[in-house]
Amino acid sequence: MLPLPSTAGWSASAFVAAVFARLIRKGLDLLPELDEAATGHLRRLQGLLPSVWRVLDAADAGAIDLAGRAVQDLLDAAYAAADALDDLDSATGAAAGGAVHAAEEVRHAGKPRSPLRFLLCFSPPRNATAAGHGGSSKPSSKISSVVDLQMLREALEAMAQAAYKCASMYEHVTPPKNYATAMAGQAEDAAREAAEHDDDDIFGREAEVEQILQEVRFGDDPHYRLGIGVLPVAGDAGVGKTALVRFVFHHEVAMAEFAVRMWVHVSGAFRLRKQLMDQMVHAVAGQYRDDDDAREFLQKELAGKRFLLVLDGITEIVDNHQWGDLIEVLRPAARRSLIMVTTESETVAAAIGTMPTLTLGPLGSDDYWKMFKHFAFGSTEDTEECTLLGDDWEDAEGDEERLSPMEQIASEIAKKMDSLPLPAQAIGRALYFRRDDEDHWRSVLEDKLWENQDVCEISPALWLSYRHLDPRLKQCFAYCAVFPDDYVFRKEELVNMWVSQGLIYSDRVAMRLEDIGGEFFDELVHRCFFYSIGSNRYVIHKSMQELARAVAMSRFFMITETSGDVPQEVRHLTIRTSNLSKLKSDLALEILPSPDHHFLQRVRTILFHADFSESDDFLDILGNIFSMAKSMRVLGLSCASLTYLPPEIGQLRRLRYLNLSGNKMIDLPETLCLLYHLQVLDVSRNSPSLHPPNGITSLIHLRHLYATEVFLSSIGDIKSLSNLQQLDVFCVGGSMQIDTLRRMTQLRGKFSIRDLRQVDASEVSKGMLKGMQYLNALQLSWNICDGQTKDVSKDEDVLECLQPHDNLRNLEIMGYGGVKFPSWLIKASSSLSNVTSMYLIDCMNCKTLPPLHVLPSLEVLEIRRMPSVSKVSVIPQRSDHELFPKLKRLVFEGMTHCTEWLTGKSKSRSTTFPCLCELEIRNCPKLTNFPDIPLSLIAMILENVGLHTLPRISDKQPSTEEALEATSKNGRWTSRLTTLRVHQCHGLRSLATSLLQQQHLLKSLEFLSIMNCDNVICDIPDGFKDLTALREVSLYDCPKMLVDKFHTSVRTMEISECFVSQGGWVDEDPILFSVWNLKITGCSHVRSDQVSKIDQLDWLSSLLNVCNLHLENTLLLRLTMFNQLPSLEILEIDGCDTFFADLSDFAWLERLQVLSIRNCREMCRLPENLCTLPMLEELCVENCPAIEALPDNGLPPSLKRLSICNCGPRLIERCLDDELDRPKIALIAVVYIDGQCIQTKGVDM
């Protein structure tokens, strides 16, 4: 390992300081119990406190040689002291996590005058001394009779000796300027402000973005057109490949084009292993699944869908067969699916790319300056508002007089980073936290690190960004060295590991360690040490991972197939090999030195990242490891294919974090219950029958338990686990008695209580959930009620007793069988004042709704399947009262007997839903009345609703700031409605009295869909002519509705044959010239004898600008009816067997490039005159089993791509036979048959 730069900064300063303070605190607490020698060591430690603080401050600032023996001895003494304190806590029954106690007591005590500004929260009380027994420290009860204090004596002695040695050696060291930014006050405000800036902005890559999007929409790569394309993005490390692809991944075009988008973090050689497949499954399913066959799941989920798959950071293709296996997994997807690969290797790009490689170089100086200024100053200015520096950095010299002093410094810093985005983001964000300190910026500019480019092959800017971290953040970031390059982080998982290692401490005693750790993680994200890939998943850039390993030094080590000897000073181990012989050798298990001298005795973390395939030898190795690794805090055995856990696990008495997820375990040893300090246990994704050991309730410090419902339901006395903060589900019944919840007051996040139907009302006491003040979301679930509940009053009594704490934000009630809601829900304005989301589902017997309209914070309301409700009556308390004042989303579904929604007198000045943005009403066939909708509404969906007319828009002036955004540019109030969907509303008869008559307010409506409404007519004289923003229209299966006037803004039109059979438009109507995409779909309201009527419609031949025509299951339409389509480029025929009947000439389709024929099961042959299409490049024939041969006249010479899939075996045989149809396809560049690319003449695919 290369030596660290002399100014790197010690990642262990905070840990040593915390243990130092914790040790002194424990000594003061037990002072009456200590003998004279121990008291002397304690007094010595207190005297050394200022000197040690100064040394640690200097080490944190990078002024001390970290390879020196004195520093390492001090760290070793701190590790040993932490072990001794843990053992003492276990012996005395004290609560685990001494750092918390130190912080709690510090808050009420003075702090020593120490130069270590960022670690003062760890200091023991200033007025507590070993000599005088004074201060706030209270004498402890006599424990020396039952507890051996020898461990504490030895720890005090070792720490005192190491501290003295270190303080003496560095007595004359003066701490230099410390760049670290404390996580308190102003820095936290800056973090929040920085978070508001969108880090997904890109600078100087607009042309590349447009190039990629053009490939997505119009790319002619044959593999992409007919199957799966591969687009490589190549460039040097840190040049911005990932940022560019991430921007495209989230672009609206990508979201519209691809039904499925998957992001996979590879960061190494490509191997189709479980970790990669899990990431794909997570992206598709939204969570990791207990799916034994990920391939089968992916093939099923991707079938017929276009996908975008990003493989980020491939360094090499080890095995071409594995790449082929990936393509096989993805093959069922729809054609025009895309894989984007980022790589530094042009060789990799050439090996797997089907599209030309997009190679990125460094940014131009102007773009780089824009980006650096954005991160360093928080600027969101446009290019023209930003002082530009010319095409080259040399041009900047003449422009510096236009820059402010801070900008001049920033410009000089920017010149030092080779125009690479990652260093600019990292150091720019670090400077942002000190953006008003010119002296600090100048110090960074003049730092000696810039003189040594790429120390340890890492940019100086990254080193400097690391030096800006709070010491606590330094150690948290360094801990990430224990993870492999391709690891995908979950915030909660990493924070739990930090807490388990004792890396999280603060003087804010009101906050949980997990919450503080969450803040630490968020700040590392803001500072660009992590970046998000969505769904609470994060990764570290390769360069940042190298930085973490550099600062972690030899305390972290990874055993791989090619790794060398394990350093004796290692504290954190990662195992990435399933080679058991090498593992035994590297861990020195066969030599077995004295246990006290074996390095495993001191290891604090072991993470296994390999599949051991149920190996008995591996279990023996695990048993040996468990017998020796007595200092271990974190053990990761996820996805190791284990069915059994060795009983030696009980010897890991200091273990706090145990991850056994993703294995095949059916049983856990009873010795697991000896893990006194265990805080996190993850046994999720194991055998469904896995049950807890009998003594699991002895794990009284357990805070997070991740397991199945079966596992949780089998815990007999779960109330003993009163420190649990993570418990997803509580299933009532059997050993799970609901009265045990009264003591579970530490639960946080989301909590679900299920099977409440089994509760006896006598078991429930009123207010039993009121103590759960930290819960964010609560789900109360009975079995789905069918309305035949025998004892309705029991459900009512139970729910009455389950009132949550006032802090609750999300409440869901499912399957409740009572007729009325409880009093606390009736008085919701006071008891649920903080609730933002409310879900009432399957409450079959309830006849009325609670007064939810008065909830002051309610933003989301979903009411589903409550058939006993006949009407909703929302009456304001005052005439000017706002109903649902903050509601943004309303779902009203399955209310089969509800007839009306009343809001009081029509002349009332009250407003309803003033902030509503989304409205969905589904399956309410008797609902004939609904209030006017507000100007704030963005999307409205009505499906199977009994309305006779659509709601109107209330044009009352909004009174809230959120609703005030509904104003137009000219100052008039207009609606924000962009999407309107009306489907299966058979009672709807007129549009004249609805919002569609208020077209002067609908200046934002872009998408309009009216489908399957049997009786609706368009009785608006000017139709939709005044909907000037309308882009997409769908009028399907509405046999009485004919709209003949549209604004020329319409580009995409979907109509059904019944619309056509009514006449459609007159010839030369302006709409005929504005439509680019036209889809006509068959419907049940047309008859085959109407063909002659349609044949006389001239407008079918006047679609002069239609470039994409899609016909699906039509009965009447023939291609001859469209005898003039001069702009048509894409023609898709789906299930239209007679569309090509009586066709003699294709010549007028002179611009047709793509022809797709699908699901025409009775079509016997392809048109003979296909060869006359002069520009046809792509032909796709799918699911047409009656077609047995290609046309006798052959295919057009312009054809480049041919795909034949799921057609008759005879057609396939002929295409592969040199004597039959093979010559007809010989000159086509790419031919796919049943998803396989076959070899054609002159082209070896």
Side-chain angles (χ1 to χ4, degrees), residues 876-1061:
Q877 297 175 350
R878 301 189 311 269
S879 61
D880 60 347
H881 190 78
E882 288 186 336
L883 309 177
F884 300 100
K886 288 191 176 181
L887 193 67
K888 296 181 179 179
R889 172 177 167 81
L890 172 61
V891 176
F892 200 63
E893 179 181 332
M895 311 295 285
T896 53
H897 293 90
C898 187
T899 60
E900 55 186 348
W901 186 304
L902 303 176
T903 58
K905 299 179 180 179
S906 59
K907 295 183 179 180
S908 172
R909 291 182 292 129
S910 64
T911 57
T912 307
F913 318 123
C915 296
L916 192 65
C917 297
E918 300 176 47
L919 173 62
E920 298 180 19
I921 306 178
R922 292 186 170 94
N923 299 322
C924 301
K926 297 183 179 180
L927 183 66
T928 59
N929 179 46
F930 194 81
D932 292 348
I933 60 175
L935 292 166
S936 60
L937 194 67
I938 295 174
M940 181 164 71
I941 299 174
L942 305 176
E943 293 183 2
N944 188 22
V945 182
L947 295 174
H948 295 160
T949 184
L950 300 178
R952 291 180 63 83
I953 299 174
S954 172
D955 56 1
K956 294 179 182 179
Q957 179 173 329
S959 61
T960 62
E961 290 187 8
E962 288 186 80
L964 285 176
E965 297 178 4
T967 181
S968 67
K969 293 181 180 180
N970 60 13
R972 296 180 57 190
W973 297 110
T974 60
S975 170
R976 298 171 63 193
L977 191 68
T978 62
T979 303
L980 175 60
R981 296 179 183 174
V982 184
H983 297 176
Q984 294 179 282
C985 295
H986 301 300
L988 189 63
R989 288 175 170 77
S990 170
L991 301 180
T993 58
S994 70
L995 77 166
L996 287 173
Q997 191 185 39
Q998 300 173 284
Q999 295 182 20
H1000 63 287
L1001 297 176
L1002 296 174
K1003 298 304 181 183
S1004 300
L1005 188 63
E1006 298 180 8
F1007 308 98
L1008 173 62
S1009 176
I1010 304 177
M1011 302 176 64
N1012 301 106
C1013 298
D1014 291 344
N1015 299 302
V1016 67
I1017 62 172
C1018 180
D1019 45 1
I1020 304 174
D1022 288 332
F1024 299 153
K1025 188 176 181 180
D1026 293 326
L1027 298 176
T1028 56
L1030 200 59
R1031 296 289 181 270
E1032 295 185 19
V1033 179
S1034 178
L1035 305 175
Y1036 175 80
D1037 206 6
C1038 300
K1040 298 181 180 181
M1041 186 174 69
L1042 179 63
V1043 185
D1044 59 356
K1045 294 179 182 179
F1046 291 87
H1047 193 270
T1048 55
S1049 60
V1050 176
R1051 292 292 178 265
T1052 299
M1053 178 77 72
E1054 179 182 355
I1055 57 177
S1056 55
E1057 277 191 304
C1058 64
F1059 184 93
V1060 177
S1061 67

Side-chain angles (χ1 to χ4, degrees), residues 645-931:
L645 191 64
E648 290 87 350
I649 187 70
Q651 298 185 38
L652 303 178
R653 299 299 178 89
R654 300 183 179 112
L655 193 68
R656 286 167 166 77
Y657 179 98
L658 178 58
N659 188 345
L660 301 172
S661 65
N663 286 292
K664 304 173 182 178
M665 294 188 182
I666 58 176
D667 194 18
L668 292 173
E670 286 297 323
T671 53
L672 181 72
C673 306
L674 299 175
L675 303 179
Y676 173 81
H677 286 291
L678 194 65
Q679 297 176 359
V680 181
L681 175 60
D682 189 347
V683 291
S684 60
R685 297 188 293 142
N686 272 281
S687 168
S689 61
L690 178 65
H691 282 68
N694 293 329
I696 193 171
T697 53
S698 64
L699 301 177
I700 59 174
H701 297 299
L702 201 61
R703 297 160 70 90
H704 304 276
L705 177 57
Y706 305 94
T708 63
E709 290 186 26
V710 172
F711 188 98
L712 296 174
S713 300
S714 303
I715 301 177
D717 190 20
I718 199 171
K719 64 176 179 292
S720 299
L721 304 179
S722 58
N723 283 313
L724 270 183
Q725 301 180 14
Q726 180 77 34
L727 184 63
D728 294 334
V729 180
F730 184 94
C731 295
V732 179
S735 61
M736 301 286 276
Q737 300 301 312
I738 195 169
D739 64 332
T740 62
L741 293 178
R742 181 176 292 278
R743 293 181 57 184
M744 309 294 289
T745 58
Q746 299 300 309
L747 292 180
R748 284 161 166 82
K750 182 177 180 180
F751 181 47
S752 176
I753 306 177
R754 298 184 183 171
D755 296 332
L756 283 167
R757 185 80 15 103
Q758 300 187 45
V759 173
D760 189 328
S762 62
E763 301 174 1
V764 189
S765 55
K766 193 168 185 178
M768 61 183 305
L769 302 184
K770 288 279 285 182
M772 297 183 180
Q773 59 178 313
Y774 305 113
L775 275 187
N776 178 62
L778 175 64
Q779 181 190 71
L780 303 174
S781 176
W782 287 254
N783 293 333
I784 300 301
C785 177
D786 58 3
Q788 304 299 319
T789 303
K790 295 181 180 179
D791 192 354
V792 169
S793 62
K794 187 187 81 168
D795 282 11
E796 293 177 352
D797 292 341
V798 169
L799 187 56
E800 183 68 45
C801 294
L802 298 181
Q803 179 179 355
H805 192 276
D806 296 348
N807 292 340
L808 193 74
R809 297 182 63 83
N810 304 294
L811 176 62
E812 183 173 347
I813 300 176
M814 298 179 60
Y816 171 60
V819 174
K820 61 181 181 179
F821 284 103
S823 60
W824 55 266
L825 201 51
I826 300 299
K827 301 175 182 178
S829 59
S830 57
S831 59
L832 299 175
S833 58
N834 291 306
V835 166
T836 60
S837 301
M838 175 80 74
Y839 305 87
L840 302 177
I841 301 172
D842 294 315
C843 302
M844 299 298 202
N845 297 325
C846 290
K847 296 183 178 181
T848 59
L849 295 177
L852 304 176
H853 59 282
V854 298
L855 289 178
S857 303
L858 190 64
E859 296 181 1
V860 176
L861 175 60
E862 296 191 10
I863 304 172
R864 303 176 187 268
R865 296 182 294 279
M866 296 179 61
S868 297
V869 175
S870 59
K871 69 177 180 179
V872 178
S873 182
V874 181
I875 308 300
Q877 297 175 350
R878 301 189 311 269
S879 61
D880 60 347
H881 190 78
E882 288 186 336
L883 309 177
F884 300 100
K886 288 191 176 181
L887 193 67
K888 296 181 179 179
R889 172 177 167 81
L890 172 61
V891 176
F892 200 63
E893 179 181 332
M895 311 295 285
T896 53
H897 293 90
C898 187
T899 60
E900 55 186 348
W901 186 304
L902 303 176
T903 58
K905 299 179 180 179
S906 59
K907 295 183 179 180
S908 172
R909 291 182 292 129
S910 64
T911 57
T912 307
F913 318 123
C915 296
L916 192 65
C917 297
E918 300 176 47
L919 173 62
E920 298 180 19
I921 306 178
R922 292 186 170 94
N923 299 322
C924 301
K926 297 183 179 180
L927 183 66
T928 59
N929 179 46
F930 194 81

Side-chain angles (χ1 to χ4, degrees), residues 955-1228:
D955 56 1
K956 294 179 182 179
Q957 179 173 329
S959 61
T960 62
E961 290 187 8
E962 288 186 80
L964 285 176
E965 297 178 4
T967 181
S968 67
K969 293 181 180 180
N970 60 13
R972 296 180 57 190
W973 297 110
T974 60
S975 170
R976 298 171 63 193
L977 191 68
T978 62
T979 303
L980 175 60
R981 296 179 183 174
V982 184
H983 297 176
Q984 294 179 282
C985 295
H986 301 300
L988 189 63
R989 288 175 170 77
S990 170
L991 301 180
T993 58
S994 70
L995 77 166
L996 287 173
Q997 191 185 39
Q998 300 173 284
Q999 295 182 20
H1000 63 287
L1001 297 176
L1002 296 174
K1003 298 304 181 183
S1004 300
L1005 188 63
E1006 298 180 8
F1007 308 98
L1008 173 62
S1009 176
I1010 304 177
M1011 302 176 64
N1012 301 106
C1013 298
D1014 291 344
N1015 299 302
V1016 67
I1017 62 172
C1018 180
D1019 45 1
I1020 304 174
D1022 288 332
F1024 299 153
K1025 188 176 181 180
D1026 293 326
L1027 298 176
T1028 56
L1030 200 59
R1031 296 289 181 270
E1032 295 185 19
V1033 179
S1034 178
L1035 305 175
Y1036 175 80
D1037 206 6
C1038 300
K1040 298 181 180 181
M1041 186 174 69
L1042 179 63
V1043 185
D1044 59 356
K1045 294 179 182 179
F1046 291 87
H1047 193 270
T1048 55
S1049 60
V1050 176
R1051 292 292 178 265
T1052 299
M1053 178 77 72
E1054 179 182 355
I1055 57 177
S1056 55
E1057 277 191 304
C1058 64
F1059 184 93
V1060 177
S1061 67
Q1062 294 181 74
W1065 299 282
V1066 298
D1067 191 18
E1068 298 185 357
D1069 191 295
I1071 187 65
L1072 302 176
F1073 303 97
S1074 69
V1075 173
W1076 295 347
N1077 306 292
L1078 177 62
K1079 180 177 181 180
I1080 304 178
T1081 310
C1083 71
S1084 59
H1085 297 97
V1086 297
R1087 304 183 308 275
S1088 58
D1089 59 3
Q1090 294 177 296
V1091 172
S1092 58
K1093 181 179 179 181
I1094 293 181
D1095 200 25
Q1096 301 173 6
L1097 297 177
D1098 294 334
W1099 66 266
L1100 290 173
S1101 301
S1102 302
L1103 299 166
L1104 301 182
N1105 290 314
V1106 168
C1107 60
N1108 188 337
L1109 178 61
H1110 184 174
L1111 304 176
E1112 183 176 324
N1113 297 321
T1114 57
L1115 179 65
L1116 309 179
L1117 296 177
R1118 306 288 186 272
L1119 185 57
T1120 53
M1121 300 176 183
F1122 302 86
N1123 57 17
Q1124 288 188 28
L1125 294 173
S1127 301
L1128 191 64
E1129 297 178 355
I1130 301 174
L1131 176 59
E1132 297 181 80
I1133 309 301
D1134 190 341
C1136 309
D1137 292 300
T1138 59
F1139 183 71
F1140 291 113
D1142 303 324
L1143 184 64
S1144 59
D1145 186 16
F1146 266 152
W1148 47 275
L1149 293 173
E1150 57 188 24
R1151 297 185 63 180
L1152 188 66
Q1153 298 177 21
V1154 178
L1155 175 60
S1156 175
I1157 303 173
R1158 292 188 177 89
N1159 302 313
C1160 297
R1161 305 190 67 84
E1162 297 181 8
M1163 184 180 289
C1164 297
R1165 62 177 63 87
L1166 294 172
E1168 285 296 333
N1169 49 10
L1170 277 180
C1171 60
T1172 63
L1173 292 170
M1175 296 185 65
L1176 189 67
E1177 296 183 354
E1178 180 175 315
L1179 174 62
C1180 297
V1181 184
E1182 297 181 13
N1183 294 322
C1184 300
I1187 297 178
E1188 296 187 346
L1190 296 178
D1192 292 338
N1193 293 334
L1195 300 173
S1198 59
L1199 198 63
K1200 298 178 182 178
R1201 303 174 293 273
L1202 172 64
S1203 174
I1204 299 174
C1205 186
N1206 294 332
C1207 293
R1210 180 59 179 158
L1211 175 59
I1212 307 302
E1213 293 172 3
R1214 290 180 63 91
C1215 288
L1216 298 177
D1217 193 325
D1218 291 337
E1219 301 296 326
L1220 297 174
D1221 285 348
R1222 185 64 181 261
K1224 298 177 184 178
I1225 64 175
L1227 298 179
I1228 300 175

